[in-house]
Amino acid sequence: METMTRTTTDTLTIRQMCDAFGVTPRTLRFYESKELLFPLRQGTRRLFSHKDRARLTLILRGKRFGFSLEDIRQLLGMYDPAGSNAAQLEKTHEIALERLAQMEAQRADLDIAIAELKGQLIEVQGRIARFRAAAE
Amino acid sequence: METMTRTTTDTLTIRQMCDAFGVTPRTLRFYESKELLFPLRQGTRRLFSHKDRARLTLILRGKRFGFSLEDIRQLLGMYDPAGSNAAQLEKTHEIALERLAQMEAQRADLDIAIAELKGQLIEVQGRIARFRAAAE
DNA sequence: CGTCATATTTACGTTAACGTCAACTTTGAT
DNA sequence: ATCAAAGTTGACGTTAACGTAAATATGACG
């Protein structure tokens, strides 16, 4: 039969987590070691909560934007209730403002790049067409 | 028709290039070794043309989007007159279409991330405000 | 109970993208 | 002519972000 992972809890094993997000166990353990994820333990085994899943979503998205794991770790502080003192909150706020500016700049940059790439695409298509026309 | 002997440097030395783009000599030499740049030589010294500058602009932008140098190298093929045969052009076209899709996906993703980040910012600002209110 | 799949820790290996030195050579200015 | 500045080629070092392999543990199942 199948291994019935009938989980009454809303936590995922490391394998379920990997399947859900398309990453390897090594990656999840690595992220935990870097304090990006904080899975619970059932004995020695990791159990990933909903919160971990939310964080992993943000981590992977951040990576797609070219952010380093350290950048991402600091950003994740915002989603934590951990900011228990004023100084912490202030710093988190500062970092977030900085990242926001970064991302908006990146967005503008991206628009330019997309426009240019489209232009070049048309160019290349033209060259291909002329190639074909000359081929007969 | 036109005279072409000018003293105005149409090319830049490696140092001028570094100052203009905020990179190190090592980086430029590295990019050359990876066939991303093709500076001319005056004896043993490198001279960077306008074309090299255009390419470097694209390289640095690509990096900001999280593309690898290899990804970027392939994309740069589009800006070359090097696509001398049909197969080459076709492949370049294919790669460009792929990157374009990637970038448009990234843009959509970025919009979501920006919106979420703004939401969290408001949250954090609220927490800070409450902290201050409680501090008196 | 023994087996098997799944998990864990430890630790060394790998790739990309440069940094950093060392040991020349070249060139412009004095 | 010389001397410092700027440039060159190796070649080894470094960091981030994992990969990979070995030895061990644990829990479910027949």
Side-chain angles (χ1 to χ4, degrees):
Chain A
M1 281 280 181
E2 276 184 39
T3 316
M4 262 297 149
T5 27
R6 154 103 190 139
T7 308
T8 12
T9 76
D10 62 339
T11 60
L12 299 184
T13 69
I14 198 169
R15 183 103 298 279
Q16 293 171 327
M17 192 75 170
C18 289
D19 293 345
F21 287 90
V23 297
T24 70
R26 179 66 174 98
T27 298
L28 296 181
R29 296 191 191 109
F30 181 70
Y31 289 169
E32 181 185 6
S33 79
K34 293 288 176 168
E35 300 181 44
L36 292 160
L37 296 177
F38 306 93
L40 305 172
R41 294 305 180 103
Q42 163 189 288
T44 143
R45 305 192 158 174
R46 290 167 178 82
L47 287 180
F48 296 86
S49 67
H50 169 74
K51 198 171 143 188
D52 289 314
R53 277 167 265 164
R55 293 174 72 93
L56 185 53
T57 299
L58 293 174
I59 293 167
L60 298 180
R61 187 154 66 200
K63 287 205 61 185
R64 266 175 270 139
F65 300 152
F67 287 147
S68 74
L69 291 185
E70 180 53 25
D71 282 347
I72 295 170
R73 194 186 61 78
Q74 295 184 333
L75 249 182
L76 284 175
M78 285 227 323
Y79 294 77
D80 261 13
S84 23
N85 69 80
Q88 266 275 31
L89 277 178
E90 286 286 5
K91 188 170 182 188
T92 295
H93 183 247
E94 186 187 337
I95 291 172
L97 275 179
E98 202 181 307
R99 289 279 173 280
L100 181 57
Q102 224 176 102
M103 289 170 77
E104 286 185 330
Q106 187 167 346
R107 192 199 138 136
D109 220 10
L110 194 52
D111 283 343
I112 294 174
I114 287 175
E116 285 185 12
L117 186 50
K118 278 183 179 168
Q120 287 297 325
L121 255 174
I122 291 176
E123 246 260 356
V124 170
Q125 284 165 354
R127 290 204 273 169
I128 290 176
R130 268 170 282 158
F131 236 107
R132 288 199 178 132
E136 60 183 30
Chain B
M1 304 265 179
E2 291 161 41
T3 49
M4 42 185 305
T5 24
R6 304 234 91 205
T7 356
T8 63
T9 65
D10 178 41
T11 59
L12 299 184
T13 70
I14 197 167
R15 184 102 297 275
Q16 293 172 326
M17 192 76 170
C18 289
D19 292 345
F21 287 89
V23 298
T24 70
R26 179 67 174 97
T27 298
L28 295 180
R29 297 192 190 109
F30 181 71
Y31 288 170
E32 182 184 8
S33 79
K34 292 290 177 167
E35 299 182 42
L36 291 160
L37 296 177
F38 305 94
L40 304 173
R41 292 306 179 103
Q42 163 189 289
T44 140
R45 304 189 159 176
R46 290 168 178 82
L47 288 180
F48 296 85
S49 67
H50 170 74
K51 200 171 142 188
D52 288 314
R53 277 168 264 164
R55 292 173 73 93
L56 185 52
T57 298
L58 292 174
I59 292 168
L60 297 180
R61 185 154 68 200
K63 287 205 62 187
R64 266 176 270 138
F65 301 152
F67 288 144
S68 73
L69 291 183
E70 179 53 26
D71 282 348
I72 295 170
R73 195 186 61 78
Q74 295 185 333
L75 249 184
L76 284 176
M78 285 225 323
Y79 294 77
D80 260 11
S84 27
N85 69 79
Q88 265 275 34
L89 277 178
E90 287 284 5
K91 189 170 182 188
T92 294
H93 183 247
E94 187 187 335
I95 291 173
L97 277 178
E98 202 180 306
R99 290 281 174 279
L100 180 57
Q102 230 175 97
M103 290 168 77
E104 286 185 329
Q106 188 168 343
R107 195 205 136 122
D109 223 8
L110 195 51
D111 284 341
I112 294 175
I114 287 175
E116 285 185 11
L117 187 50
K118 279 182 180 170
Q120 287 297 325
L121 255 175
I122 291 176
E123 246 259 359
V124 171
Q125 285 165 354
R127 290 205 272 169
I128 290 177
R130 267 170 284 157
F131 236 106
R132 288 196 178 137
E136 59 186 31

